[in-house]
Amino acid sequence: KQEVTQIPAALSVPEGENLVLNCSFTDSAIYNLQWFRQDHGKGLTSLLLIQSSQREQTSGRLNASLDKSSGRSTLYIAASQPGDSATYLCAVFFSGGYQKVTFGTGTKLQVIP
Amino acid sequence: EPEVTQTPSHQVTQMGQEVILRCVPISNHLYFYWYRQILGQKVEFLVSFYNNEISEKSEIFDDQFSVERPDGSNFTLKIRSTKLEDSAMYFCASSSVGPETQYFGPGTRLLVL
């Protein structure tokens, strides 16, 4: 079964700290992996999309890496700010003919001023 | 930048009533999807739609659900007789030449009383 897992489920850090969020997936045959941000009760904001042929993507203070062979991706957030507080979701598009994105349960981040 | 839009943003309905959730995908996209997220749970795939027919659906997508592309721009999800457990955030997504890169709308929050 193709699954996506995110650990930890919650994370609290002081403002200014660099942090890493983890995502693991059970099948290395993927098309892409996407990181989303979701504010409480709100919709999805796409942060970064990494194609299977890529190793990393960067946008501002965010850097996402992909290691297909180990089934892992990380989202690095530099110099965290209180406005970064949200739930971060990892979503994988697995190969194999399935037309759906499989989401992890998310990591709820709180950045303390 | 083109984006997927959804209406309404919030909907409250009585159990047993029919609801129609509307989505306007990105204009040149050919693949359309619905996902849902029950509060506190992960985002789950419901259905994918291509070439005017359902191409894949999950076990959640039972006979109470239907999808339609009534014209060249809208994509709708209908729930015929809503149940309390249908309360969730519903996300529409679309993609262009292939199903692997999906762009998500902001979601419709449905509350069934």
Side-chain angles (χ1 to χ4, degrees):
Chain A
K1 188 178 177 184
Q2 295 166 331
E3 293 184 344
V4 179
T5 305
Q6 292 185 250
I7 295 173
L11 182 64
S12 183
V13 301
E15 180 179 0
E17 193 161 294
N18 302 325
L19 59 101
V20 174
L21 307 180
N22 297 295
C23 171
S24 60
F25 44 94
T26 53
D27 186 344
S28 62
I30 71 170
Y31 276 123
N32 61 48
L33 183 145
Q34 199 163 0
W35 282 93
F36 291 89
R37 169 187 172 135
Q38 185 176 34
D39 293 287
H40 183 69
K42 305 289 187 184
L44 303 174
T45 301
S46 180
L47 298 173
L48 290 164
L49 171 71
I50 311 177
Q51 300 291 350
S52 63
S53 57
Q54 298 174 319
R55 300 281 290 203
E56 65 180 300
Q57 282 283 349
T58 298
S59 176
R61 293 183 295 110
L62 306 179
N63 176 276
S65 69
L66 174 64
D67 183 346
K68 282 194 308 177
S69 61
S70 66
R72 294 183 188 219
S73 174
T74 61
L75 179 67
Y76 174 83
I77 303 177
S80 58
Q81 302 169 358
D84 295 330
S85 298
T87 296
Y88 290 80
L89 301 176
C90 172
V92 178
F93 194 98
F94 290 102
S95 307
Y98 303 105
Q99 294 188 8
K100 61 179 182 180
V101 174
T102 301
F103 283 81
T105 46
T107 294
K108 186 173 183 179
L109 173 67
Q110 182 182 23
V111 180
I112 302 167
Chain B
E1 185 176 328
E3 56 184 20
V4 177
T5 59
Q6 292 184 240
T7 55
S9 58
H10 294 78
Q11 177 141 11
V12 181
T13 190
Q14 295 291 323
M15 190 170 57
Q17 294 295 305
E18 174 184 285
V19 295
I20 297 177
L21 309 183
R22 302 181 192 280
C23 169
V24 178
I26 295 173
S27 63
N28 62 345
H29 283 189
L30 303 175
Y31 297 79
F32 313 109
Y33 314 86
W34 284 101
Y35 293 78
R36 80 169 185 193
Q37 184 184 33
I38 295 171
L39 189 64
Q41 299 185 23
K42 63 168 67 177
V43 178
E44 302 171 289
F45 169 77
L46 291 178
V47 65
S48 60
F49 190 86
Y50 171 70
N51 201 25
N52 283 318
E53 60 183 26
I54 290 173
S55 47
E56 190 173 344
K57 61 182 180 179
S58 72
E59 60 276 7
I60 303 168
F61 194 88
D62 61 22
D63 292 344
Q64 292 299 312
F65 292 90
S66 62
V67 290
E68 192 176 37
R69 188 153 162 83
D71 53 45
S73 60
N74 290 285
F75 179 53
T76 63
L77 174 69
K78 181 193 290 186
I79 310 175
R80 287 191 185 80
S81 178
T82 50
K83 308 188 213 40
L84 296 176
E85 54 264 37
D86 293 327
S87 296
M89 180 80 92
Y90 289 81
F91 295 104
C92 172
S94 70
S95 60
S96 56
V97 295
E100 61 268 16
T101 303
Q102 299 181 16
Y103 296 84
F104 284 78
T108 292
R109 179 165 293 286
L110 175 66
L111 178 61
V112 182
L113 301 176

